[in-house]
Amino acid sequence: MTDPAVSAEPPVSLRELRARAEEVVTPEAWEYLETGAGAEVSLGEAESAWQRWRFRPYVLRDVAQISTSCRLLGHDLATPVLVAPTAYHEPYHPTAELGTAEGVRDAGSLLCLSTRSSRTVERVAEHAGPWWLQVYVMTDRDITEAMVDRAVAAGASALVLTGDTPYVSRRARGTALPLQDEVALVNVQQHLAGRTWSSLEQDPRVTYADIEWLASRSGLPVLVKGVLRADEARACVTAGAAGVVVSNHGARQLDRVVPTALALPEVARAVADQVPVLVDGGIRSGHDVATALALGADAVLVGRPTMYALATGGAPGVTAMLRALTAQLAEAMGLLGISSLAGFDRSLVEDITHARG
Ligand SMILES: Cc1cc2nc3c(=O)[nH]c(=O)nc-3n(C[C@H](O)[C@H](O)[C@H](O)COP(=O)(O)O)c2cc1C
């Protein structure tokens, strides 16, 4: 019924995976992963917001062959389920980002690597399939440029500028990730000579102009991550963005921010005909992925589920998790009456709170 790489996989429940991960990681690392900002209102809404949508499937369509293959900024991927940038994988598995990269590669997916990784971009690149670098613009622009240059040389194919983190927000829990300095600084240590630690902090002066700065410095497409409004999405595209990621940073920045499942439709309406629109936040099943694609996303990203999979199964665990989500997506597509990602359209979902009787 589906791509052979997808259909052979046993089902993986993300709920089970999460429970197993909690058992194997330290309490400090677990809290760092699970925390949200403020009173965690947005964290509590992220997953359930996807369930506000209901499907309106087609019937009597030929769905004997289903393909989840996805073309995105020049890459042919087996799945539209990509991996979101999350900081410091070392506390979750000894292979750290190298394991994540291999797992993503073997699933035919794409890795967005965090600026704050616990392995160097050069080493991760050796283990990766297609990958993008997520960029935090640091107060020291020379260090930011040096990292971008190294990522380009190592084979990154796009940059993802995170726009929602001018400051790191306060969190009530999970602030003490146990990490030695040499691991935390592995990507930037070589550029630090004579500079203070504050040069590594996020620069709150970042503006739309920095999209063009990063694009011209790198020669790569630049996507903006953290977009939650149609007007902002349009402004990013006008400023040269090659894509937008609808994201609220896993509910770790501004609390009470809108769930991405509700922000996605207006952003997709505004710019999806010009650039790829991606979305992350609370995506935990193939039904969530299908909903996002019907609402206009070209692909989705998963953050915490990747870490559950890495912690419990290393690289093969990451591959299995991505394949399981993709298999669930393929099954949902068959039952929706569509056989390729091009078949998704806005009429396939309805907001249950507006449903007519
Ligand atoms: C532990 C953790 C670390 C993160 N680190 C980063 C980061 O370094 N850069 C970034 O842009 N987003 C970061 N994020 C946000 C993710 O990229 C993504 O937006 C979010 O995790 C998606 O939600 P999900 O975890 O529900 O899938 C982080 C999220 C988590 C959970």
Side-chain angles (χ1 to χ4, degrees), residues 186-207:
V186 71
N187 245 331
V188 285
Q189 209 151 25
Q190 64 196 94
H191 312 298
L192 257 184
R195 295 175 163 96
T196 62
W197 276 64
S198 65
S199 57
L200 299 176
E201 283 167 7
Q202 273 90 333
D203 187 349
R205 293 164 302 183
V206 175
T207 68

Side-chain angles (χ1 to χ4, degrees), residues 27-200:
E28 293 81 11
W30 183 249
E31 287 285 273
Y32 178 75
L33 182 61
E34 292 292 288
T35 190
E40 300 189 344
V41 173
S42 292
L43 184 68
E45 291 172 349
E47 295 178 27
S48 57
W50 292 106
Q51 293 172 22
R52 170 170 170 162
W53 299 97
R54 291 292 177 271
F55 293 119
R56 305 172 67 237
Y58 297 118
V59 296
L60 300 180
R61 308 280 172 123
D62 178 350
V63 286
Q65 297 293 325
I66 294 171
S67 170
T68 59
S69 65
C70 169
R71 191 162 172 78
L72 190 61
L73 293 176
H75 294 294
D76 286 313
L77 308 171
T79 174
V81 184
L82 319 181
V83 164
T86 53
Y88 308 126
H89 295 191
E90 157 105 2
Y92 301 92
H93 195 267
T95 60
E97 284 83 357
L98 310 185
T100 310
E102 285 179 8
V104 176
R105 179 196 66 199
D106 293 350
S109 177
L110 181 146
L111 170 69
C112 185
L113 180 71
S114 171
T115 288
R116 308 245 184 265
S117 60
S118 44
R119 297 290 181 273
T120 62
V121 292
E122 290 83 3
R123 287 194 70 201
V124 176
E126 285 169 17
H127 296 256
W131 66 283
W132 299 340
L133 180 73
Q134 175 264 326
V135 177
Y136 281 135
V137 174
M138 293 171 257
T139 54
D140 190 316
R141 299 276 173 133
D142 292 343
I143 300 183
T144 313
E145 287 185 343
M147 256 205 82
V148 165
D149 292 350
R150 285 170 48 215
V152 173
S157 58
L159 302 179
V160 177
L161 171 62
T162 297
D164 57 20
T165 314
Y167 305 96
V168 177
S169 91
R170 282 170 210 262
R171 293 166 200 157
R173 59 183 180 126
T175 46
L177 188 65
L179 211 57
Q180 292 165 328
D181 281 357
E182 53 268 35
V183 176
L185 299 177
V186 71
N187 245 331
V188 285
Q189 209 151 25
Q190 64 196 94
H191 312 298
L192 257 184
R195 295 175 163 96
T196 62
W197 276 64
S198 65
S199 57
L200 299 176

Side-chain angles (χ1 to χ4, degrees), residues 72-73 132 159-161 208 211 222-238 240-247 264 266-268 270-272 274-280 296-299 301:
L72 190 61
L73 293 176
W132 299 340
L159 302 179
V160 177
L161 171 62
Y208 293 120
I211 298 171
V222 176
L223 298 89
V224 178
K225 176 170 180 277
V227 175
L228 293 166
R229 303 165 49 117
D231 53 357
E232 290 270 274
R234 278 190 217 101
C236 288
V237 173
T238 304
V244 294
V245 184
V246 177
S247 174
L264 172 61
E266 73 167 72
V267 172
V271 298
Q274 298 167 67
V275 296
V277 172
L278 283 65
V279 65
D280 71 21
D298 294 281
L301 304 101

